[in-house]
Amino acid sequence: MGNQDCIIFENVSKSYGENRILSNFNLTICKVDFLAIIGSSGCGKTTVLKLINGLLTPDSGRIFVNGEDIAKMDQIQLRRKMGYVIQEVGLFPHMSIGKNIAYVPNLIKEDDKNGISNKVKELISMVGLDEEIISRYPSELSGGQRQRVGLARALAASPEVLLMDEPFGAVDEINRKLLQEEILKIYKKLNVMIVFITHDIKEALKLGTRVLVMDKGEIIQIGTPSEIKQHPKTDFVRELIGV
Amino acid sequence: MIKQVFQIYYERGDFFIKLTLEHLKISGSAIILGAIIGLILGVVISEYKKTSPVILGMTNFIYTIPSISLLGLLIPFSGIGNTTAIIALTVYALLPMVRNTHAGIVSIDPAIIEAAKGMGSTPFDILYKIKLPLATTVILAGFKNMVVMTIALAGIASFIGAGGLGVAIYRGITTNNMVMTVAGSLLIAFLALFSDFLIGGLEKSVERKWRLKR
Ligand SMILES: Nc1ncnc2c1ncn2[C@@H]1O[C@H](COP(=O)(O)OP(=O)(O)OP(=O)(O)O)[C@@H](O)[C@H]1O
Ligand SMILES: [Mg+2]
């Protein structure tokens, strides 16, 4: 397997103060994986994600993106190439939906006004929203709509990698199903690498092309959904998938 | 009394216009200086958290010095007159600006900052596009307090030889002319209320535009 188009964790350790979360963590994620990470609360999922886009830096070990050590890269440029959806969504309340989605394109000024506005419309329909919503403000949307806008905003920079931290955590069951269909469509259409964190094993098995089961900062099992279902490695995995 | 006050405005119109303009010049200079320096200090202490106890402590301390003694303390350095008044008023103006800028920035939902950072914003992008706009209403509230306070406080600047409506008040007191004192005081009160009203309107329109109701 080549290093191109891959994210590689090489013996990564990370602690918060005395509290060691990851020790000698190794993981390779390649294009076009849809990696679903599942594990109990506090096991280090968000930590793994934030190490990828440099919001956190490893205490030891290295992380490579496309063969380059990210510690040696410009962090701002690194992040602009990755879409990032956080659990709390974090829409900018003082910007219209259109401005929210166009945030990164406006930062990098890659396009003229017209080009950006067309892109916003395209993204809005891609995440299953109506164009009418563009001029509204985040406080005027439902929880599900906000999640969709957060997704559209992350897609706006045409990222090669999409990092999603429990993106559908705060929506009801019906919206969750719809959003899952939406993200699968987007994944197939855009051919991006997705790293997707979830609490929900059903969601992980449904969405992921690979599923990573984590516990206390350790990788318990990683494999395709059918591998996980047919050959759960430990009792922890068995319990999780409910057999 | 009211009648007498209006009569004195009419009879000595030029005098009161001159004092009012002077008053606006002194307080306006202090307001602009205080707003700029206060905003910068407020941003600095929110970006570099270690500096916040020092700077907040200092501005708090200055605020507790009685205005008369601060004016007196400055005289050896900047003499008597408008300059000293402007310096003293500027120094007082710092606290509400620093405190509200800091409060406005640190009260922003961390998830919003995290999202902005994770999308590849530089620290300057975050400050300019996210933090300052979101802190605007809190900063404006501090600005409003500061403006009203500065206009009122500028009234005592005449005690150290500065101009402004304090001159009328001071003269009224020394010549036992109650009407003169009231006429000066009323104009100061009017200026303060009017600024309060203007800035209040600005606050509301910003709130509405950015949907920042708190
Ligand atoms: N900034 C921090 N300072 C100290 N401890 C932290 C910090 N961030 C996370 N932790 C701790 O590190 C551990 C792992 O956190 P992390 O956010 O990666 O968990 P998670 O798997 O994403 O959990 P959840 O599913 O609840 O989001 C937790 O025990 C958490 O309390
Ligand atoms: Mg988490």
Side-chain angles (χ1 to χ4, degrees):
Chain A
M1 206 186 297
N3 286 345
Q4 287 306 317
D5 299 326
C6 291
I7 295 172
I8 300 169
F9 282 71
E10 192 185 272
N11 290 323
V12 171
S13 298
K14 178 71 191 171
S15 313
Y16 297 109
E18 295 284 278
N19 194 2
R20 180 163 257 212
I21 307 302
L22 301 177
S23 46
N24 293 318
F25 189 86
N26 288 287
L27 173 66
T28 300
I29 319 163
C30 287
K31 205 172 180 179
V32 187
D33 278 336
F34 189 140
L35 179 73
I37 303 181
I38 176 147
S40 39
S41 187
C43 73
K45 304 182 295 294
T46 300
T47 304
V48 168
L49 206 65
K50 286 188 185 174
L51 284 164
I52 296 176
N53 65 5
L55 286 178
L56 293 173
T57 46
D59 300 334
S60 64
R62 291 185 296 177
I63 298 164
F64 297 91
V65 171
N66 295 342
E68 235 186 300
D69 185 347
I70 64 168
K72 301 196 177 86
M73 290 167 69
D74 178 350
Q75 303 294 300
I76 305 290
Q77 293 308 325
L78 171 75
R79 289 174 199 149
R80 286 182 186 173
K81 287 199 207 99
M82 296 179 172
Y84 183 41
V85 183
I86 60 175
Q87 176 164 11
E88 304 89 342
V89 193
L91 295 184
F92 307 134
H94 60 303
M95 296 183 191
S96 68
I97 301 310
K99 286 260 166 60
N100 262 284
I101 296 175
Y103 183 78
V104 178
N106 279 331
L107 272 189
I108 58 186
K109 301 192 179 70
E110 49 151 33
D111 227 334
D112 56 29
K113 270 222 160 74
N114 247 323
I116 291 178
S117 137
N118 286 335
K119 187 161 206 179
V120 168
K121 285 180 193 157
E122 193 184 307
L123 287 164
I124 280 285
S125 76
M126 195 185 286
V127 297
L129 290 171
D130 204 82
E131 272 188 23
E132 166 267 336
I133 221 168
I134 290 175
S135 59
R136 285 209 233 160
Y137 279 75
S139 61
E140 300 161 343
L141 303 190
S142 72
Q145 289 170 325
R146 271 180 226 167
Q147 300 275 3
R148 286 164 197 265
V149 173
L151 179 56
R153 184 174 66 173
L155 291 169
S158 315
E160 292 150 24
V161 179
L162 193 53
L163 307 174
M164 306 180 80
D165 194 350
E166 303 191 35
F168 311 146
V171 294
D172 60 78
E173 206 51 42
I174 298 167
N175 261 299
R176 201 181 169 95
K177 288 251 157 59
L178 291 172
L179 278 159
Q180 287 171 353
E181 297 304 325
E182 226 78 78
I183 191 68
L184 279 179
K185 260 191 259 162
I186 288 166
Y187 170 62
K188 281 175 190 139
K189 183 169 172 201
L190 299 182
N191 234 11
V192 286
M193 179 201 294
I194 298 182
V195 183
F196 186 104
I197 292 178
T198 176
H199 259 119
D200 177 357
I201 183 69
K202 273 192 281 170
E203 185 167 79
L205 294 170
K206 174 177 171 186
L207 296 179
T209 56
R210 291 166 80 206
V211 174
L212 189 168
V213 181
M214 239 179 114
D215 188 32
K216 303 194 184 79
E218 304 272 348
I219 297 176
I220 306 295
Q221 186 171 6
I222 181 164
T224 63
S226 54
E227 276 167 12
I228 301 269
K229 272 186 275 192
Q230 279 152 25
H231 310 288
K233 218 167 169 179
T234 66
D235 286 343
F236 181 80
V237 185
R238 257 184 289 271
E239 209 165 291
L240 200 63
I241 58 174
V243 293
Chain B
M1 183 70 161
I2 300 284
K3 213 174 132 202
Q4 281 168 308
V5 168
F6 277 100
Q7 199 169 353
I8 200 174
Y9 285 153
Y10 180 72
E11 280 165 8
R12 312 209 43 194
D14 288 350
F15 175 68
F16 279 104
I17 288 172
K18 181 180 143 254
L19 290 189
T20 304
L21 290 178
E22 246 172 29
H23 199 94
L24 286 175
K25 201 178 87 187
I26 294 170
S27 44
S29 310
I31 286 166
I32 291 170
L33 284 173
I36 293 171
I37 301 171
L39 192 68
I40 292 172
L41 286 179
V43 167
V44 167
I45 65 172
S46 338
E47 297 288 292
Y48 307 97
K49 304 229 152 41
K50 282 197 188 111
T51 61
S52 85
V54 181
I55 292 182
L56 273 179
M58 252 165 48
T59 45
N60 256 318
F61 169 70
I62 292 170
Y63 205 67
T64 60
I65 305 175
S67 42
I68 276 290
S69 51
L70 182 61
L71 288 168
L73 287 172
L74 283 172
I75 288 175
F77 303 101
S78 46
I80 56 170
N82 290 352
T83 312
T84 302
I86 291 173
I87 294 175
L89 292 175
T90 302
V91 165
Y92 279 120
L94 291 180
L95 180 68
M97 282 306 291
V98 172
R99 201 172 41 194
N100 279 47
T101 305
H102 178 247
I105 289 177
V106 299
S107 68
I108 296 170
D109 180 358
I112 292 170
I113 311 285
E114 163 120 352
K117 194 172 172 199
M119 288 192 292
S121 316
T122 62
F124 180 76
D125 290 328
I126 296 180
L127 180 66
Y128 178 69
K129 297 191 166 184
I130 310 292
K131 287 182 179 170
L132 285 178
L134 286 177
T136 300
T137 47
V138 182
I139 296 173
L140 272 180
F143 180 68
K144 189 168 72 174
N145 283 342
M146 180 270 265
V147 167
V148 170
M149 178 193 80
T150 305
I151 290 175
L153 209 52
I156 52 169
S158 60
F159 283 89
I160 52 137
L165 288 161
V167 170
I169 299 174
Y170 193 48
R171 188 171 302 172
I173 293 172
T174 49
T175 60
N176 207 9
N177 180 350
M178 185 65 126
V179 175
M180 181 71 109
T181 302
V182 172
S185 311
L186 271 181
L187 278 176
I188 292 181
F190 172 76
L191 286 181
L193 283 176
F194 186 65
S195 327
D196 184 87
F197 171 77
L198 277 187
I199 302 167
L202 187 64
E203 250 180 301
K204 288 231 171 55
S205 73
V206 168
E207 243 169 39
R208 216 170 303 127
K209 176 159 179 274
W210 287 339
R211 317 290 204 272
L212 293 179
K213 269 262 151 0
R214 286 178 190 248

